[in-house]
Amino acid sequence: YTDGLPDQRDDNGHMFGSDSIPELLKSLYSRDAKGIVAGVQAALHAHAGVQPADDDITLLSVKFLE
């Protein structure tokens, strides 16, 4: 992900932050690559509310299959 993800602010000016991203990704582990991206997008939209993105946000998910 790019810095636009953790830097996204909510209606109160609080950043999404980097600290919550590892736990978020762990919670999405069972999903396929598209589902992981969709889950991160949903969490970001829930955080941001009506705030527009301050920066570009790029997400890439790759899931290795055994």
Side-chain angles (χ1 to χ4, degrees), residues 10-35:
D10 65 10
D11 294 334
N12 296 316
H14 298 109
M15 290 182 158
F16 189 74
S18 296
D19 294 340
S20 62
I21 295 173
E23 284 300 316
L24 173 60
L25 293 174
K26 285 180 189 176
S27 74
L28 300 170
Y29 178 77
S30 64
R31 298 183 182 192
D32 64 8
K34 285 183 181 180

Side-chain angles (χ1 to χ4, degrees), residues 28-34 36 61-66:
L28 300 170
Y29 178 77
S30 64
R31 298 183 182 192
D32 64 8
K34 285 183 181 180
I36 292 170
S61 178
V62 177
K63 190 135 187 188
F64 292 95
L65 304 175
E66 295 181 36

Side-chain angles (χ1 to χ4, degrees), residues 45-65:
H45 289 292
H47 169 79
V50 298
Q51 291 300 314
D54 294 328
D55 195 358
D56 63 298
I57 300 170
T58 302
L59 302 170
L60 173 68
S61 178
V62 177
K63 190 135 187 188
F64 292 95
L65 304 175

